[in-house]
Amino acid sequence: MLQPSEVAPDFTLYATPDQKITLSEFKGRNVILAFYPADWSPVCSDQMALYNETLPFFKKYDAEIFGISVDSKWCHFAFEQSRNLHFPLLADFEPKGAVAKKYGVYDEDEGECKRALFVINKAGVIAWSYVSPTAINPGADGILDALESLVTIG
């Protein structure tokens, strides 16, 4: 797993069926990457719903959040619509888990992303990272503490 002070590897992934997002386009803003195992699972559904509710606090810290899993862009589209999510879910679908592997959070045994969080500062450097047990929703407190420390550091 990549650690704080390492440069966040750039990537381009589908955010909608016809639109891709490139991480480096967000340089100058704080970015949260929330890797999760799978759309529709109970813990993942709760975790993404929590982040949806926390969006105003993330915005306060000039932060964008992206959920990332190995599900396809069409699966994400249906999940986002069903859960009324207001932030992008990125499809690390083909080659499967390539971005998760770059960040060191791909679970080879399960063939899915680990439940991992990264806060990337405005310069594109990882400020905080955390991997949670798969069955446990890591919540948003660690993310908010990391964003607050970026304000304190400047």
Side-chain angles (χ1 to χ4, degrees), residues 30-80:
N30 296 313
V31 173
I32 304 156
L33 300 181
F35 289 88
Y36 63 99
D39 293 342
W40 309 105
S41 79
V43 177
C44 297
S45 295
D46 289 348
Q47 183 184 6
M48 295 304 118
L50 172 66
Y51 297 157
N52 204 43
E53 295 298 317
T54 313
L55 283 175
F57 297 99
F58 297 155
K59 298 287 184 198
K60 196 172 100 178
Y61 292 104
D62 193 26
E64 290 288 330
I65 183 167
F66 302 105
I68 303 176
S69 79
V70 298
D71 294 297
S72 74
K73 56 190 178 183
W74 292 105
C75 188
H76 281 330
F77 183 71
F79 184 62
E80 286 172 358

Side-chain angles (χ1 to χ4, degrees), residues 104-117:
V105 293
Y106 185 74
D107 185 332
E108 296 282 350
D109 293 335
E110 297 292 330
E112 58 192 26
C113 298
K114 294 180 181 176
R115 193 175 308 283
L117 301 168

Side-chain angles (χ1 to χ4, degrees), residues 90-150:
L90 306 180
D92 194 8
F93 183 70
E94 188 59 42
K96 186 178 181 182
V99 173
K101 290 173 185 170
K102 283 183 180 179
Y103 281 76
V105 293
Y106 185 74
D107 185 332
E108 296 282 350
D109 293 335
E110 297 292 330
E112 58 192 26
C113 298
K114 294 180 181 176
R115 193 175 308 283
L117 301 168
F118 293 87
V119 172
I120 301 168
N121 69 18
K122 294 178 178 183
V125 176
I126 295 169
W128 178 78
S129 60
Y130 176 77
V131 65
S132 175
T134 300
I136 296 177
N137 180 345
D141 290 348
I143 295 169
L144 292 170
D145 288 347
L147 291 171
E148 181 65 31
S149 73
L150 292 176

Side-chain angles (χ1 to χ4, degrees), residues 13-27:
L13 293 173
Y14 277 101
T16 69
D18 60 359
Q19 182 184 26
K20 291 183 176 181
I21 284 180
T22 299
L23 178 64
S24 58
E25 294 172 354
F26 291 87
K27 238 180 185 164

Side-chain angles (χ1 to χ4, degrees), residues 78-90:
F79 184 62
E80 286 172 358
Q81 296 283 313
S82 169
R83 302 294 193 241
N84 198 27
L85 299 178
H86 298 288
F87 63 93
L89 300 179
L90 306 180

